[in-house]
Structure formats: C-alpha cells, structure tokens
C-alpha cells in the first residue's frame, strides 16, 4: 500500500487546544500531496472531536467506525473513527477549478 499514507497525531496534554494538532495535520497533509500519494487515512478516537474537525477542515470524510477498537491512557475503550481523503480526486478538482482555466499572460515589468 505504498500509495496510501496513514496519519496519527499525538499531542502532549500541555499543548491541547493550542493549534498544535492543526499545524501537524496540515504539514503531514502537504507532505502527502508532495509525495504523490493517492490516498491519506486519518485515525482518531471518537472522544477527540477537535481532532476530527481538524481533518474534516482538510476535506477528510468519515469512512468507517470501529466500535470499542482503541483504549485511552487509562484503559477506557473508545470507538476509532477512520477518515480518508482521496488525493487523486483532490488534484482532479484543482485542475478543473476555474482558476486554472484562465488564459495565462506574461508578467508585467
């Protein structure tokens, strides 16, 4: 599965709700785009709505829920949410976007 990347982000409790997860997710997503991958998978616990929102803002969609699949640091079981982003579709949408259909002109000056 060399065409698929999986993102898992862990942020120390002292840095929760400070944007660190968003920065990490954005950087990893950009790296996936530059690497020519076809799909990116993000796994988050259902008890982490902020993490889910970070990936949804990047266009990830919920693809699967694994009930009671993971345990937190104190052993409590949680559902695992699997979100995905199809990068081939992403590039196709960008290439057909009207911004890229404008005629080019030479730079002035």
């Amino acid at each position: 599965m060399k065409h698929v990347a999986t993102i898992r982000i862990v942020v120390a409790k002292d840095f929760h709700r400070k944007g660190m997860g968003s920065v990490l997710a954005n950087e990893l997503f950009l790296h996936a785009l530059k690497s020519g991958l076809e799909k990116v998978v993000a796994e988050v616990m259902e008890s982490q709505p902020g993490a889910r929102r970070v990936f949804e803002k990047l266009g990830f969609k919920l693809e699967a829920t694994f009930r009671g699949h993971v345990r937190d640091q104190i052993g409590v079981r949680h559902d695992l949410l699997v979100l995905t982003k199809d990068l081939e579709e992403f590039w196709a949408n960008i290439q057909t976007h009207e911004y890229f259909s404008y005629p080019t002109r030479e730079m002035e000056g």
Side-chain angles (χ1 to χ4, degrees):
M1 294 189 2
K2 292 181 181 180
H3 64 289
V4 178
T6 300
I7 297 176
R8 290 186 198 106
I9 297 173
V10 178
V11 177
K13 199 168 200 106
D14 291 347
F15 295 95
H16 284 193
R17 304 187 59 81
K18 296 184 180 186
M20 182 65 69
S22 294
V23 169
L24 291 169
N26 281 301
E27 288 298 318
L28 291 168
F29 181 68
L30 288 173
H31 183 70
L33 286 172
K34 292 176 186 177
S35 298
L37 294 165
E38 296 173 18
K39 190 171 194 173
V40 182
V41 177
E43 298 176 353
V44 300
M45 289 193 311
E46 49 78 25
S47 61
Q48 301 171 312
R52 181 177 180 172
R53 278 192 301 277
V54 165
F55 289 107
E56 287 175 339
K57 284 181 183 177
L58 290 169
F60 283 70
K61 302 289 182 204
L62 180 65
E63 189 147 336
T65 301
F66 293 95
R67 305 280 176 214
H69 194 72
V70 293
R71 292 184 188 270
D72 63 20
Q73 293 174 333
I74 60 171
V76 177
R77 290 172 58 149
H78 296 273
D79 294 349
L80 178 70
L81 307 179
V82 179
L83 299 100
T84 64
K85 175 76 174 171
D86 185 332
L87 299 183
E88 288 182 319
E89 182 180 308
F90 173 83
W91 285 119
N93 287 339
I94 282 182
Q95 290 172 352
T96 59
H97 189 274
E98 67 181 41
Y99 174 83
F100 292 99
S101 64
Y102 289 116
T104 58
R105 62 184 178 98
E106 291 189 30
M107 296 284 289
E108 295 178 13

